[in-house]
Amino acid sequence: MVILRCRFLTINLAPLRPSHLQSHKLHTTRFFRTPNLISTPRITSSSLPTSRSISDEARFARSVLFIPPGVEVEELTDDMVLPGSNIVIGPFAGHSQIKQVEFVKSSARARDCPKDDLPEIAILGRSNVGKSSLINCLVRKKEVALTSKKPGKTQLINHFLVNKSWYIVDLPGYGFAKVSDAAKTDWSAFTKGYFLNRDTLVCVLLLIDASVPPQKIDLDCANWLGRNNVPMTFVFTKCDKMKAAKGKRPDENIKAFQQIIRENFKQHPPWILTSSVSGLGRDELLLHMSQLRNYWDQ
């Protein structure tokens, strides 16, 4: 089970024993378990370990939080946990602001992607999850990534060079009913090929729509990434819509999704709440991305 991906090495843990969720199994890669609330976990003196080498409290903290390399459980404080997430910021976090972004190319196959060995963070999600809106929010430029009222518009692997040092990769959305069977087959072929063969891939941001209840297709995607040791972070989108016109509120949907993951994953991935409308979580997500990149590039 992969914990963190680095340019020269991979940190592993013993494999877990996944349980069943309806007709499929869930697996994990580099995950840490989340609490049963969507608020940021609180670090208190009672939750930190004592002088014992590995205490129950330490194991609990490691299961609740994403603790990056270079951080000891004994050192944890509230201000080290990013607001609206389970992500601890460690010594690999660095410059995170985006000053320059440029579109480089679109590729129909993984082997056609850029070959300059720069780190990449890929963004993936169900069609209409708000993927393009999130990218535009991160770079603070309109229409850097194409937004459309017709889900499924992105059909290629799109590379955007950030600060001339790393890539944001916009991947095709999945699960749109109006996409043809041939297009769905193509998505399976070239997108999975990208995940399995891209050595410069640092992490996948798996976007989850907070405005709808948990979707089996999102759980299937997380399952596949986990089985193939692809690092991921859950990014909940549309978290500004805390009052739903129909059905459950987004905070209830998020808790329901986390509950499913918690019951079926031994460890939970990092997660963060975002909104492309209000900018919620933007700076925190960029900081998390910086520590993943810097660890990979050490």
Side-chain angles (χ1 to χ4, degrees), residues 193-236:
Y194 168 82
F195 291 135
L196 297 177
N197 299 301
R198 198 67 178 162
D199 292 337
T200 52
L201 178 62
V202 175
C203 178
V204 173
L205 304 183
L206 181 56
L207 274 53
I208 306 297
D209 188 344
S211 69
V212 298
Q215 302 292 301
K216 182 178 181 296
I217 193 170
D218 291 329
L219 298 168
D220 286 340
C221 185
N223 172 41
W224 188 90
L225 292 171
R227 279 191 289 110
N228 288 279
N229 289 329
V230 180
M232 79 177 97
T233 293
F234 286 137
V235 178
F236 292 100

Side-chain angles (χ1 to χ4, degrees), residues 1 3 13 16 28 31-33 62 265-269:
M1 180 173 62
I3 292 300
L13 292 179
L16 59 84
T28 80
F31 304 153
F32 291 81
R33 197 169 181 174
R62 291 187 182 279
F265 281 66
K266 185 176 181 180
Q267 293 176 300
H268 197 295

Side-chain angles (χ1 to χ4, degrees), residues 19-25 216 219 260 264:
S19 58
H20 289 271
L21 175 66
Q22 296 179 357
S23 61
H24 62 283
K25 295 181 180 180
K216 182 178 181 296
L219 298 168
I260 294 172
N264 292 274

